[in-house]
Amino acid sequence: MTQEWKRWIPLENIPTSMYFVSITEDSNCFKIKYNSENKMVTIHFKDSVLSYRSTDEGKLIKTWSQLNEKYGPEFYAQWSMFKQLNSDYLVWFPEQSCGIYEHYNPEHYIFKGNDIIIDVLSTYSPEITMTYSTK
């Protein structure tokens, strides 16, 4: 099974360079916030998600090397939101949950910041909003 990354384009003008601000999680929603120059990008899952993980961008050396080899550096360096097909994470989660959520066909979202990468498994797409700050 070959892992495949696809750029995810939920909105026009998504910043290519973002910095992690926060994660908010409760039983009603899951939100990730990134900052980019004069924009705040909010990724809002209206319910809970199946699973998520956060990794320091600098610790994903193997991932960046593989992406560089397969797609070239511009593919991931010039974009911040992806979906990953056939990912190890999509294999790992059903094994850990004994297949309870397999029939929901979860998707693997990746939100790439300049410092923190957030992987999310969800059965639905998040809402993405951008607000402009007036500093």
Side-chain angles (χ1 to χ4, degrees), residues 53-110:
R53 62 186 178 196
S54 168
T55 309
D56 180 289
E57 181 266 342
K59 302 209 174 26
L60 295 172
I61 298 165
K62 181 178 177 182
T63 297
W64 305 136
S65 177
Q66 289 172 336
L67 288 174
N68 193 34
E69 228 175 82
K70 187 170 184 174
Y71 303 106
E74 294 81 24
F75 173 77
Y76 64 90
Q78 300 299 316
W79 200 250
S80 56
M81 297 186 184
F82 301 88
K83 283 187 179 182
Q84 189 176 17
L85 311 175
N86 303 321
S87 73
D88 291 341
Y89 200 17
L90 283 170
V91 172
W92 173 85
F93 184 77
E95 289 173 354
Q96 295 301 309
S97 61
C98 295
I100 293 171
Y101 299 98
E102 256 180 318
H103 67 282
Y104 288 106
N105 296 319
E107 293 188 293
H108 181 178
Y109 295 90
I110 300 168

Side-chain angles (χ1 to χ4, degrees), residues 20-65:
F20 176 75
V21 174
S22 67
I23 289 179
T24 305
E25 177 185 26
D26 62 32
S27 60
N28 297 319
C29 77
F30 180 76
K31 284 185 189 177
I32 307 166
K33 289 188 178 185
Y34 284 97
N35 192 340
S36 177
E37 295 180 19
N38 64 341
K39 296 176 190 172
M40 179 66 70
V41 178
T42 303
I43 301 147
H44 182 200
F45 290 87
K46 292 186 179 183
D47 272 321
S48 60
V49 297
L50 297 174
S51 181
Y52 74 93
R53 62 186 178 196
S54 168
T55 309
D56 180 289
E57 181 266 342
K59 302 209 174 26
L60 295 172
I61 298 165
K62 181 178 177 182
T63 297
W64 305 136
S65 177

